[in-house]
Amino acid sequence: MNFAVTVDGRAAIGGVSGPIGSKADTAMLVGLRKRFDAVMIGAGTKRAEGYEKIGPRLVVVESGPGREPADLPALLRSLRDEGVRSLLCEGGPTLHGSLQAAGLVDELFLTIAPKLAGAGAAGILAGELAEIEPLELAWLLEQDGELFARYRSIGAAPDSL
Ligand SMILES: NC(=O)c1ccc[n+]([C@@H]2O[C@H](COP(=O)([O-])OP(=O)(O)OC[C@H]3O[C@@H](n4cnc5c(N)ncnc54)[C@H](OP(=O)(O)O)[C@@H]3O)[C@@H](O)[C@H]2O)c1
């Protein structure tokens, strides 16, 4: 997973993520994408952010009106069968919640931008988790007050990046 948040934990400003991170954050994300076979987003993120021509293969998760939620383990299995060995999910909070609830997230790249957004925007994870998910900090970088953290889910598979 990759997200950018404000210090007060908001994942959007004015309905989009663009105003949160700096140019360094964009550069980090562009560099990160190059290390993955595909990028995955939820339909809400596609609607909010556009996501035209990002480079790697883009997988958009959607259910459609009146349809059941996607079977995420089956989706990941079928992507793996198609040769996708590493997948970067860029949100949003709804898809992140579903992936965490299903135990399908091994790492979280989190940019913490030195700004406050105030009320009205969601955080990085929507929905309930059966248990609190402990994370291990793999590394933390800083530039101009912006923090770039990489967390691992405890017990996740060894680093393959
Ligand atoms: N700060 C950041 O790094 C960051 C990153 C990403 C997004 N965002 C922000 O997050 C907001 C969007 O939030 P969101 O929660 O709506 O985003 P989202 O998780 O991308 O989209 C939710 C939608 O994705 C589809 N979806 C998600 N999980 C699904 C599943 N298991 N099966 C089938 N469909 C599934 C559904 O679409 P349908 O109902 O259409 O089928 C659902 O309504 C925007 O403001 C965006 O800017 C911020």
Side-chain angles (χ1 to χ4, degrees), residues 3-4 11 15-16 42-45 47 49 61-64 70 90 92-95:
F3 272 102
V16 290
T45 297
R47 285 190 286 271
E49 311 278 347
V61 182
E62 59 190 333
S63 50
E90 299 185 12
T94 304
L95 181 57

Side-chain angles (χ1 to χ4, degrees), residues 1-6 10-18 20-21 25 29 41-49 51 60-65 67-72 75 89-99 109-111 121-124 126:
M1 294 297 313
N2 183 84
F3 272 102
V5 289
T6 60
R10 305 304 180 185
I13 296 176
V16 290
S17 62
I20 295 175
D25 176 54
L29 181 58
I41 54 171
T45 297
K46 169 86 176 135
R47 285 190 286 271
E49 311 278 347
Y51 269 81
V60 181
V61 182
E62 59 190 333
S63 50
R67 306 253 306 272
E68 292 292 308
D71 181 340
L72 294 173
L75 172 62
C89 182
E90 299 185 12
T94 304
L95 181 57
H96 184 200
S98 304
L99 288 166
F109 293 88
L110 185 68
T111 298
I124 67 165

Side-chain angles (χ1 to χ4, degrees), residues 3-157:
F3 272 102
V5 289
T6 60
V7 167
D8 53 342
R10 305 304 180 185
I13 296 176
V16 290
S17 62
I20 295 175
S22 66
K23 285 184 182 163
D25 176 54
T26 304
M28 288 280 287
L29 181 58
V30 169
L32 196 56
R33 283 175 180 162
K34 292 188 178 142
R35 310 194 71 139
F36 288 82
D37 295 327
V39 167
M40 184 169 78
I41 54 171
T45 297
K46 169 86 176 135
R47 285 190 286 271
E49 311 278 347
Y51 269 81
E52 301 300 330
K53 296 194 179 103
I54 61 160
R57 175 179 174 183
L58 181 66
V59 179
V60 181
V61 182
E62 59 190 333
S63 50
R67 306 253 306 272
E68 292 292 308
D71 181 340
L72 294 173
L75 172 62
L76 296 198
R77 271 194 302 275
S78 79
L79 286 171
R80 192 172 176 83
D81 289 345
E82 292 168 24
V84 175
R85 311 307 257 193
S86 57
L87 183 64
L88 179 66
C89 182
E90 299 185 12
T94 304
L95 181 57
H96 184 200
S98 304
L99 288 166
Q100 285 286 359
L104 295 172
V105 180
D106 58 359
E107 294 202 339
L108 170 63
F109 293 88
L110 185 68
T111 298
I112 303 161
K115 56 187 78 162
L116 300 170
I124 67 165
L125 194 155
E128 302 283 330
L129 292 181
E131 297 177 357
I132 290 172
E133 175 72 35
L135 302 175
E136 174 185 61
L137 183 65
W139 44 245
L140 181 64
L141 308 174
E142 185 271 344
Q143 181 173 298
D144 296 332
E146 193 167 40
L147 303 179
F148 302 92
R150 178 182 186 176
Y151 293 97
R152 284 198 188 98
S153 297
I154 304 287

